[in-house]
Amino acid sequence: MPRLLIPVESAMGETRVAASPDTVKKFLSLGSKVAIERGAGLAAGFVDGDFNTIGAELVAPGDSQAWSEADVVLCVQSPSASALARMRSGALVVGLLAPYANSSLAASLKTAKLSAMALELLPRISRAQSADALSSQANIAGYKAVLLAAAALDRYFPMLMTAAGTVQPARVVVLGAGVAGLQAVATAKRLGAVVYVSDVRSAVKEQVESLGARFIEPPEIDQRPDESGGYAKQASEAFLTAQREQLSNQLAEADVVICTAQVPGRKAPRLISDLMLDRMRPGAVVVDLAVEQGGNCANTRPGETVDRNGVKLIGASDLPCSVPNHASALYSRNLVALLEPVLKDGQLTLNIEDELIAGCLISHNGVIRHDDVFNTGGSN
Ligand code: NAD
């Protein structure tokens, strides 16, 4: 019978947890045993008693025996190197392990001879959609980014006709229309804004227009970036220069800009320069979701709001953590979808030929399988 452990998340500011009472129930029904560290779900609104009543065992945070007996550790962010060192060889750790950014992870996995699945690397095929944690969390980030912008803006979002006169709707520009960007578009539209969207992938135009937003066609120059597997590839500097020129006029008229443009494993494209910020009106708000990857916007800083000549620059680094109950509920359902075939019939069977597992299995019993990921270092 596989033993699952859900730890208290150790990363600073992390409020999510890798299980909800519903998903623990599901794992128990698949024939696994579940141990959860006391207090693991508290910040996400799940109390110990909720887990205990349905049959999970409560253990003390950092309990050595629980870590050494676990066959699978389910986490949101990677456990610390010392926690990984407590796991038995051959055990499996599953989470958003940030292999691009976590330089010591490969060594920890090798030394402790662990298997590890990094959810960031799950192939983006239709079969994987229910397990896609990047999407479930990006959706939340896109939604919350618009709420932050609306709260910080010095204007209404919707058009209003009042006794004191008519108020024009806010003008919102969304940069990047992947999962977070499309949710930002939908949320801004629900609040009544007029929304413009820039993206480099051709499939996006139709999606954006179906949400009632206007698509800004990418600049027509030869070096338009390719795409592969649904992701944009890195744009050339010539393309980005043309794109910044094109966006400069849009931004000068914008009330809000939501930045979500990303290229996997690379620095985020710089789409807003200092000169462009100079042209924005005081009171406007920029929310940069790409801030941890270098930022789409100049001068944004992770977790900070910078006032630049009256323009508020919000470096929104961890928005899913600000909606921890739903973020955890959806994330833990992603884990069930991924692990149901691995844990069925009370057996742990890791089929490394399976496309989903092969895609995200970064280490198998301590043998590193994605040297490419560990070696990029997330640089350009
Ligand atoms: P992402 O976070 O990597 O990028 C966000 C957006 O930024 C993308 O739309 C990208 O095209 C855009 N971008 C990159 N460079 C840009 C630039 N210079 N200017 C403007 N925009 C730029 O992407 P994501 O949100 O994780 O996903 C992208 C796409 O992957 C989705 O829209 C979807 O088509 C696909 N997807 C598929 C599945 C699945 O089938 N399982 C799941 C999720 C997403």
Side-chain angles (χ1 to χ4, degrees), residues 48-66:
D48 290 346
D50 293 345
F51 292 108
N52 199 218
T53 359
I54 54 172
E57 182 193 355
L58 294 174
V59 297
D63 183 290
S64 301
Q65 193 180 348

Side-chain angles (χ1 to χ4, degrees), residues 1-2 29-32 342-349:
M1 182 178 273
S29 77
L30 289 172
S32 294
V342 175
L343 293 169
K344 68 170 191 260
D345 305 327
Q347 299 284 329
L348 195 158
T349 319

Side-chain angles (χ1 to χ4, degrees), residues 246-284:
Q246 179 199 40
L247 289 173
S248 188
N249 289 337
Q250 291 282 352
L251 265 53
E253 292 180 17
D255 296 301
V256 166
V257 186
I258 307 286
C259 304
T260 76
Q262 305 249 16
V263 177
R266 301 281 173 181
K267 259 180 88 174
R270 178 52 58 89
L271 300 176
I272 307 179
S273 64
D274 269 308
L275 286 176
M276 292 161 79
L277 288 173
D278 288 341
R279 293 186 62 201
M280 291 184 72
R281 72 162 184 89

Side-chain angles (χ1 to χ4, degrees), residues 173-208:
V173 177
V174 176
L175 303 179
V179 180
L182 288 175
Q183 184 55 253
V185 173
T187 307
K189 286 297 296 177
R190 280 184 209 116
L191 287 177
V194 173
V195 183
Y196 292 79
V197 180
S198 167
D199 200 304
V200 290
R201 289 182 299 119
S202 42
V204 167
K205 182 175 190 258
E206 204 185 313
Q207 294 165 349
V208 161

